[in-house]
């Protein structure tokens, strides 16, 4: 189980560093029902990662590892494809980066967050965890690694739970600041929001490149072993 966790912790950290979702939850926390909406957003995020990873585990099943408890060939092929996709997404993000970070623009839908119903906030958390061009491939790759570990079902589920917890730290941290820092939370979260908004594209591009190369290396290693 330790080896399986070692394989996915880096991917989980990549999911945790998600500037736009961090901006989104900070805006959600600033709504009139900030406490409720923040918890619902977090619930949607955790549910999305868990569901996506669970589906991959169910698809992989016992077929994720070979008879020698090595990753199956399809796991290597999947990681190779996901690595190429991340690398291509990184190139696109890098070309889109603003020359002046102070002119960085947030998606227009973020301006309407204060008018979202609780159900929409829950759906937003779900969408940002599962439909994200970075998070979805990383979650699938992590679940494929867990599936290929040869662990018993209970240990696979526990490994996925650890991945989800680590991958949710970027969302859980602003929520904790809001819940426990009181009056100081507004200024702290405001500073985080501004930084994440300004550097979102550059951070995402760097993560796409680094994690894409990791998955490429993992995939090639599995296919050539």
């Amino acid at each position: 189980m330790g080896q399986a966790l070692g394989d996915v912790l880096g991917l989980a950290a990549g999911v945790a560093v998600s500037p736009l979702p961090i901006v989104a939850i900070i805006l959600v926390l600033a709504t009139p029902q900030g406490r409720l909406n923040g918890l619902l957003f977090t619930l949607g995020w955790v549910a999305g990662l868990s569901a996506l990873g669970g589906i991959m585990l169910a698809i992989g099943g016992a077929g994720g590892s070979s008879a020698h408890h090595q990753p199956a060939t399809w796991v290597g092929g999947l990681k190779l494809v996901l690595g190429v996709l991340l690398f291509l997404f990184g190139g696109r993000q890098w070309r889109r980066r603003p020359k002046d970070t102070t002119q960085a623009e947030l998606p227009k839908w973020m301006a309407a967050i204060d008018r979202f119903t609780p159900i929409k906030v829950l759906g937003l958390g779900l969408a940002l965890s599962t439909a994200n061009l970075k998070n979805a491939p990383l979650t699938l790759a992590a679940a494929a690694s867990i599936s290929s570990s040869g662990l018993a079902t209970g240990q696979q589920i526990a490994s996925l739970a650890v991945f989800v917890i680590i991958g949710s730290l970027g969302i859980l941290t602003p929520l904790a600041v809001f819940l426990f820092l009181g009056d100081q939370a507004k200024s702290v979260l405001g500073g985080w929001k501004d930084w994440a908004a300004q550097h979102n594209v550059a951070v995402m591009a760097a993560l796409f490149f680094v994690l894409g190369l990791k998955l490429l290396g993992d995939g090639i290693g599995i296919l050539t072993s």
Side-chain angles (χ1 to χ4, degrees), residues 12-220:
V15 172
V17 182
S18 299
L20 275 186
I22 291 172
V23 172
I25 191 172
I26 291 174
L27 293 176
V28 163
L29 292 169
T31 61
Q33 299 185 75
R35 183 182 296 268
L36 172 62
N37 286 339
L39 292 172
L40 287 173
F41 182 95
T42 304
L43 176 61
W45 174 276
V46 170
L49 292 182
S50 300
L52 195 59
I55 290 170
M56 187 71 247
L57 285 185
I59 292 173
S65 61
S66 67
H68 303 289
H69 298 290
Q70 297 298 317
T73 302
W74 70 266
V75 175
L78 176 64
K79 288 191 172 186
L80 193 64
V81 170
L82 293 175
V84 170
L85 288 175
L86 286 178
F87 202 79
L88 292 176
F89 290 150
R92 189 183 72 167
Q93 287 286 103
W94 186 253
R95 290 192 299 270
R96 291 173 51 197
R97 75 191 190 283
K99 294 182 180 179
D100 182 359
T101 58
T102 61
Q103 301 300 315
E105 295 184 359
L106 292 172
K108 294 181 179 179
W109 56 263
M110 283 193 169
I113 281 182
D114 60 343
R115 299 191 295 275
F116 279 18
T117 64
I119 294 299
K120 284 187 176 180
V121 171
L122 178 67
L124 178 62
L126 184 67
L128 288 178
S129 64
T130 57
N132 186 294
L133 292 177
K134 170 174 66 67
N135 295 344
L138 293 181
T139 303
L140 292 174
S145 290
I146 295 170
S147 174
S148 69
S149 63
L151 294 173
T153 301
Q155 291 177 312
Q156 290 192 21
I157 293 173
S159 298
L160 179 61
V162 172
F163 168 84
V164 171
I165 292 170
I166 300 299
S168 300
L169 288 179
I171 302 301
L172 292 172
T173 302
L175 179 62
V177 168
F178 177 82
L179 294 176
F180 299 114
L181 282 193
D183 295 337
Q184 290 182 298
K186 185 176 180 180
S187 60
V188 172
L189 294 178
W192 290 1
K193 176 178 72 67
D194 292 341
W195 188 93
Q198 290 177 10
H199 301 283
N200 167 59
V201 177
V203 170
M204 289 289 285
L207 286 172
F208 277 134
F209 283 133
V210 172
L211 295 169
L213 285 173
K214 171 180 169 41
L215 291 182
L216 280 170
D218 289 349
I220 292 171

